[in-house]
Amino acid sequence: MPELIPEPRYARFAREGDGDDGADVCVLDDPLLDAGPGTGGTARWLRRELGAATGWELPAPAAERTYGGGGRAVIRLVLRPELARSVGAESYELHVTRRWVLLEGADPAGLFYAAQTLRQLLGPEAYRRAPAAPGREWRLPVGGVQDGPRFGWRGMMLDVARHFMPKYGVLRYVDLLAAHKLNVLHLHLTDDQGWRVEIKRYPRLTEVGGWRPRSRWGHRASPLWNETPHGGFYTQDDIREIVAYAAERHVRVVPEIDVPGHSQAAIAAYPELGNTDVVDTGALEVWDDWGVNENVLAPTESVLRFYEGVFEELLELFPAEVSPFVHVGGDECPKEQWRASALAQERIRELGVDGEDGLQSWFIRHFDGWLAERGRRLIGWDEILEGGLAPGAAVSSWRGYAGGIAAAEAGHDVVMCPEQQVYLDHRQAGGADEPMPIGYVRSLEDVYRFEPVPPKLSAQAASHVLGAQANVWTEVMENQSRVDYQVFPRLAAFAEVVWSRLPDPDERDYAGFEARMGGHYRRLDALGVDYRPPGGPLPWQRRPGVLGRPIEGEPPNV
């Protein structure tokens, strides 16, 4: 069987040599591309990507559209909406005969995933950026696939605030997500260590907040520093390009702007945003360290108006049809400054909220209503449950399953991303060569056995689990190569978890998955992904002498 990842619901192919006179294979030699109504996006993608790798021009067939006979082989693209009723949204069928290949999608996304499967069937060379040796014969096994995803939210969170990833690196990750049939890119755009999106009415957010003087090298316990100033940001045109590029590949982009914690970069740019009666906010710089920072937003109406201005520009950059959710963070907000601030204490009395925790909830509920009035849905880390949520808000459950369970049972939609299971900054093995080891060991097999829906959830609550995402925090990932190392190959296992209908975790065929990864590593090689090899890090992937924060033992199932 072909080494397909993620594993499809149904696939059956002839083994080469089983048929007579080549009846078991389809040989594609500069085939025609017959693109039916509504299939233009996938047709353009095939001409661009497969054309680059194979040299094919993929012209449209003549009007008679004959298949077989003595003519060229044909790849045909068709939308078949009835598949959505039988298989589900984003589903597809792929059929291969000796003379033609038929890709059918329930919708444009399903058709695009059929094209991704076709590319996998053609072999690792189909991922090249220039053709292989002239005369190479492209062969497909005769057979078919019927497939569709388990979850509608299949995502990865990429933290570009701690270490900035230039625009072309983000576009590359959009392609890598799409190649694994993942459909959400959650961009963590702001934090204490940097502000990464241009806001025209507040230029100092990037002029000042986009840069820090140095960076801690390793975990915050490390005595080492990288003294090179670090920064960067995406212009509004950059964001438009990222969003449009992702939409062409059926990837939704979820922007995150942190409130009220994780805000020192914003306060460094505009000191009036901070708690000025207890801190000399004018002396603050963009933070150069990791961890939870005590400098949080002041609970004032002027701060709300400031961030409404930020979100107004953000909504223009992330249109509702491709970015219905907006992430507001809401996590890890220390309360010490609010306790010491006379202004904050007066605000608590004015609002009648339950202490400092009530102030945090007041921030979140304000923006929940503000976004809802503009046709968007708020999503935040599971701390936003504290103090109660409006009905339309959704929760990213990161501290374990508990927050997601509580939210789902209360009728809120949930994205499962427990740090003990799918934080890809956590180390992949227990060896001493793992670079800057963080957290628990989360091996390829551990990720493959991750289950997004806890068994204790009622059936009704389980319907609120939108899906899951793997989170990539970049404190100790200083460049694209380090991100690749932490993300791959584990993202392939995660993709199968959220796409395929797998058995219970203990019953999953990890040996079969590992065998299919043999072919997938060759695809990753062709794509230039600097993944962690199965045998451990290569010499240039290690970081000897740089402290991490390893945690021993099995992670708690909380």
Side-chain angles (χ1 to χ4, degrees):
M1 289 294 292
E3 297 169 317
L4 297 176
I5 287 178
E7 185 177 35
R9 293 192 198 184
Y10 169 84
R12 184 173 181 178
F13 291 95
R15 290 183 300 178
E16 192 165 346
D18 284 352
D20 297 327
D21 194 26
D24 51 0
V25 297
C26 175
V27 178
L28 296 176
D29 181 12
D30 197 15
L32 305 173
L33 180 61
D34 181 10
T39 68
T42 296
R44 286 191 297 273
W45 183 86
L46 283 169
R47 288 191 172 104
R48 183 173 56 248
E49 301 298 330
L50 290 191
T54 63
W56 299 340
E57 294 183 1
L58 293 170
E64 62 271 16
R65 295 185 179 182
T66 56
Y67 303 103
R72 293 152 72 177
V74 177
I75 300 172
R76 188 180 183 204
L77 309 181
V78 177
L79 288 182
R80 197 175 124 207
E82 59 267 27
L83 271 176
R85 293 190 292 272
S86 58
V87 188
E90 302 180 89
S91 62
Y92 69 90
E93 289 188 359
L94 181 151
H95 305 278
V96 181
T97 74
R98 288 186 64 189
R99 297 302 303 151
W100 49 261
V101 178
L102 173 62
L103 308 184
E104 298 179 299
D107 45 37
L111 186 68
F112 178 72
Y113 297 133
Q116 291 285 0
T117 298
L118 171 63
R119 194 183 194 187
Q120 288 197 15
L121 289 170
L122 285 168
E125 294 85 357
Y127 292 81
R128 292 171 58 95
R129 291 298 179 191
R136 187 208 190 282
E137 190 174 73
W138 296 90
R139 303 163 69 90
L140 289 173
V142 167
V145 174
Q146 185 185 73
D147 200 10
R150 179 185 178 192
F151 293 108
W153 187 301
R154 308 180 302 278
M156 187 186 88
M157 190 284 301
L158 180 61
D159 170 22
V160 295
R162 272 52 177 272
H163 278 102
F164 178 66
M165 180 178 284
K167 177 186 67 177
Y168 287 106
V170 176
L171 299 177
R172 173 179 178 266
Y173 258 87
V174 169
D175 280 325
L176 289 171
L177 295 182
H180 291 81
K181 300 186 173 74
L182 299 173
N183 68 345
V184 176
L185 174 62
H186 169 178
L187 276 182
H188 182 74
L189 291 166
T190 73
D191 216 297
D192 301 301
Q193 297 87 359
W195 185 285
R196 305 294 179 217
V197 56
E198 178 188 27
I199 303 298
K200 291 185 180 295
R201 72 187 72 182
Y202 303 129
R204 287 175 59 84
L205 286 173
T206 47
E207 291 171 359
V208 174
W211 306 89
R212 62 176 180 263
R214 62 176 187 170
S215 305
R216 178 81 68 177
W217 182 230
H219 181 255
R220 60 182 175 271
S222 169
L224 304 177
W225 292 88
N226 181 343
E227 298 290 346
T228 303
H230 179 83
F233 63 91
Y234 309 110
T235 68
Q236 294 200 352
D237 281 344
D238 290 339
I239 292 292
R240 292 187 183 97
E241 181 179 356
I242 290 168
V243 170
Y245 190 88
E248 288 179 350
R249 289 149 182 81
H250 302 279
V251 174
R252 302 196 305 271
V253 184
V254 177
E256 179 180 350
I257 302 292
D258 258 310
V259 295
H262 290 291
S263 296
Q264 183 161 319
I267 297 168
Y270 291 94
E272 64 271 23
L273 297 174
N275 295 282
T276 56
D277 60 340
V278 294
V279 177
D280 179 8
T281 55
L284 294 177
E285 294 183 321
V286 177
W287 205 27
D288 58 10
D289 212 344
W290 318 128
V292 179
N293 189 289
E294 65 182 6
N295 291 298
V296 301
L297 298 176
T300 65
E301 290 295 326
S302 62
V303 168
L304 294 185
R305 300 294 87 76
F306 183 98
Y307 274 84
E308 287 172 0
V310 169
F311 283 117
E312 282 176 4
E313 293 194 23
L314 203 74
L315 296 190
E316 293 177 3
L317 301 175
F318 295 87
E321 58 270 22
V322 293
S323 299
F325 286 90
V326 175
H327 207 292
V328 299
D331 63 318
E332 295 181 328
C333 179
K335 311 298 192 300
E336 288 78 6
Q337 290 184 2
W338 290 347
R339 293 188 186 99
S341 166
L343 185 150
Q345 293 303 308
E346 178 61 25
R347 195 71 169 141
I348 289 170
R349 289 189 289 273
E350 288 175 2
L351 296 170
V353 297
D354 184 16
E356 292 78 21
D357 289 340
L359 279 183
Q360 182 172 355
S361 178
W362 169 76
F363 264 102
I364 300 304
R365 292 178 70 88
H366 173 82
F367 286 107
D368 183 32
W370 190 91
L371 289 167
E373 289 172 0
R374 290 155 180 81
R376 304 302 180 96
R377 293 185 64 188
L378 179 144
I379 186 168
W381 304 111
D382 54 54
E383 287 95 329
I384 69 172
L385 285 165
E386 299 159 7
L389 278 181
V395 171
S396 301
S397 187
W398 77 274
R399 291 181 292 182
Y401 289 104
I405 292 170
E409 295 287 3
H412 294 286
D413 287 340
V414 175
V415 175
M416 288 293 187
C417 48
E419 67 167 327
Q420 302 89 344
Q421 311 297 329
V422 288
Y423 267 35
L424 299 186
D425 52 320
H426 283 211
R427 58 195 172 130
Q428 302 184 63
D433 288 334
E434 292 301 314
M436 294 186 260
I438 299 296
Y440 296 100
V441 171
R442 292 289 85 192
S443 67
L444 183 65
E445 181 173 0
D446 291 327
V447 174
Y448 190 68
R449 298 193 188 280
F450 165 61
E451 172 49 49
V453 181
K456 65 177 69 174
L457 272 183
S458 66
Q460 182 176 0
S463 69
H464 285 287
V465 178
L466 301 177
Q469 69 182 33
N471 290 344
V472 184
W473 300 104
T474 61
E475 288 94 332
V476 297
M477 299 181 214
E478 72 279 6
N479 55 36
Q480 178 178 284
S481 176
R482 279 286 293 125
V483 174
D484 280 4
Y485 179 91
Q486 293 298 134
V487 170
F488 290 100
R490 293 183 294 182
L491 194 70
F494 175 82
E496 188 151 312
V497 165
V498 292
W499 177 276
S500 307
R501 281 163 168 74
L502 299 177
D504 290 340
D506 291 341
E507 299 173 4
R508 293 177 187 172
D509 180 14
Y510 177 70
F513 170 77
E514 197 172 30
R516 283 183 286 118
M517 279 299 297
H520 200 63
Y521 284 120
R522 294 191 290 277
R523 295 180 195 122
L524 296 178
D525 286 332
L527 288 166
V529 176
D530 201 6
Y531 60 85
R532 181 189 187 276
L538 298 169
W540 58 86
Q541 294 173 323
R542 301 167 189 163
R543 297 291 186 276
V546 183
L547 287 180
R549 184 183 61 91
I551 305 174
E552 303 302 331
E554 284 294 310
N557 189 14
V558 295

